[in-house]
């Protein structure tokens, strides 16, 4: 675990995970300790964070947990540190069902599903802790329930998975709303952006790169000739996840377009998974998706 002090009152924890490291951010405000995201289900990142917070006497004030969204790599440790308040978007309870559905496919995760602790304080647009200088706002795009956090004192923007380096993690089908959220980020006066995985960024350049990629992705016009393995991973799963989400939303014609693009692109050596199991799984998912559409 790497620990980095940020600004006057932030602590960033970076913990190993695959394919990306996980970042958990804490804000020590006058009356609370805010913890933004809590790591991966079954990976116990929060245990290490808790140990550090205990050893440094940072758990004297009540803890408020904030979930940027309900993916399983952001909510895993919601129950590790005692906290009366877990904040998430109004759609959290709906989205967590999809996470549970996904985890149910894996035997090892089944016991953990029962211990998942969903948000108990939800908001639609914004929730502000005025005296603490902390605000949480709706920032849909990566998922429909995505939220971001802004520390007004240190001007730190915590974005969850709205920004992923090197390429955006595309799941939800309303890509124009995703772009809107990113455009809104550019209006925020921030010193640093904390990403849910891997990175801390200091300027808006990467926001523009992300917007550009999403536009190209939407048009199925991504040039992947210079892709690394990580780019390829984000790209192929972006296609499949988007198709899945379009199917779920009843947008069958569009869904088919992305399924077919995934089907052909994963045969390209740049995009094809190196791992045979992933490759087989992906083909199965695409075939099943297309078959469901024909029903
Ligand atoms: Zn996510």
């Amino acid at each position: 675990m790497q620990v980095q002090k940020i600004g006057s009152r932030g602590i960033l924890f970076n913990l190993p995970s695959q394919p990306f490291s996980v970042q958990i951010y804490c804000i020590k405000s006058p009356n609370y300790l805010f913890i933004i995201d809590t790591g991966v289900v079954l990976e116990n990142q929060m245990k290490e964070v808790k140990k550090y917070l205990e050893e440094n006497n940072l758990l004297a004030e009540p803890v408020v947990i904030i979930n940027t969204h309900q993916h399983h790599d952001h909510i895993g440790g919601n129950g590790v540190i005692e906290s009366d308040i877990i904040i998430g978007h109004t759609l959290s309870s709906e989205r967590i069902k999809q996470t549970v559905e996904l985890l149910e496919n894996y035997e090892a995760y089944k016991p953990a599903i029962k211990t998942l602790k969903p948000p108990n304080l939800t908001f639609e647009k914004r929730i502000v802790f005025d005296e603490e200088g902390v605000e949480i706002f709706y920032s849909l795009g990566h998922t429909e329930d995505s939220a971001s956090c802004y520390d007004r004192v240190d001007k730190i923007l915590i974005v969850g998975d709205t920004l992923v380096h090197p390429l955006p993690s595309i799941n939800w089908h309303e890509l124009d709303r995703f772009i809107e959220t990113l455009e809104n980020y550019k209006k925020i006066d921030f010193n640093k952006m904390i990403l849910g995985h891997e990175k801390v960024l200091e300027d808006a350049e990467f926001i523009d790169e992300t917007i550009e990629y999403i536009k190209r992705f939407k048009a199925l016009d991504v040039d992947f000739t210079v892709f690394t393995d990580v780019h390829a991973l984000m790209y192929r799963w972006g296609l499949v996840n988007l198709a899945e989400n379009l199917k779920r939303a009843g947008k069958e014609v569009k869904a088919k377009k992305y399924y077919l693009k995934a089907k052909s692109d994963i045969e390209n050596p740049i995009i094809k998974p190196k791992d045979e199991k992933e490759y087989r799984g992906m083909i199965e998912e695409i075939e099943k998706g297309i078959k469901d559409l024909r029903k």
Side-chain angles (χ1 to χ4, degrees), residues 14-80:
N14 182 293
L15 298 113
S17 187
Q18 289 296 331
F20 299 116
S21 68
V22 162
Q23 306 215 100
I24 293 168
Y25 194 70
C26 294
I27 302 167
K28 177 87 195 75
S29 74
N31 299 300
Y32 296 98
L33 180 76
F34 292 88
I35 302 178
I36 300 124
D37 284 341
T38 62
V40 188
V41 170
L42 289 185
E43 290 187 9
N44 287 327
Q45 279 97 358
M46 272 308 280
K47 276 199 181 151
E48 254 184 275
V49 171
K50 185 183 182 184
K51 195 167 165 253
Y52 177 94
L53 294 173
E54 273 170 355
E55 284 169 1
N56 290 277
N57 281 326
L58 289 160
L59 292 176
E61 309 295 343
V63 168
V64 174
I65 290 173
I66 298 163
N67 289 151
T68 60
H69 59 301
Q70 295 297 310
H71 275 158
H72 85 289
D73 52 338
H74 295 260
I75 58 168
N78 276 4
V80 173

Side-chain angles (χ1 to χ4, degrees), residues 69 71 73-74 142-143 161 169 171:
H69 59 301
H71 275 158
D73 52 338
H74 295 260
H142 166 63
T143 60
D161 284 353
S169 172
N171 291 278

Side-chain angles (χ1 to χ4, degrees), residues 171-232:
N171 291 278
W172 189 53
H173 59 278
E174 300 271 7
L175 295 178
D176 291 337
R177 304 294 296 278
F178 199 161
I179 291 169
E180 231 173 84
T181 287
L182 291 163
E183 291 289 355
N184 285 332
Y185 274 177
K186 292 202 283 180
K187 295 175 198 152
I188 298 170
D189 177 20
F190 60 81
N191 291 327
K192 288 181 199 299
M193 288 187 298
I194 313 291
L195 277 57
H197 303 277
E198 302 276 336
K199 294 262 176 197
V200 177
L201 300 174
E202 286 175 7
D203 59 52
E205 201 183 319
F206 186 65
I207 301 175
D208 282 326
E209 280 174 36
T210 300
I211 292 171
E212 189 51 36
Y213 175 83
I214 295 171
K215 284 181 180 166
R216 290 199 168 271
F217 188 95
K218 191 185 169 202
L220 293 177
D221 184 28
V222 173
D223 172 13
F224 47 70
T225 46
V226 294
F227 268 13
T228 65
D229 286 353
V230 180
H231 286 90

Side-chain angles (χ1 to χ4, degrees), residues 14 23 50-51 62 85 93 101 114 152 169 200-201 214 219 239 241 249-250 262 275 280:
N14 182 293
Q23 306 215 100
K50 185 183 182 184
K51 195 167 165 253
I85 303 176
S93 57
E101 254 172 55
K114 295 189 192 80
R152 289 176 177 173
S169 172
V200 177
L201 300 174
I214 295 171
L239 288 173
N241 290 338
D275 177 58
R280 293 277 147 228

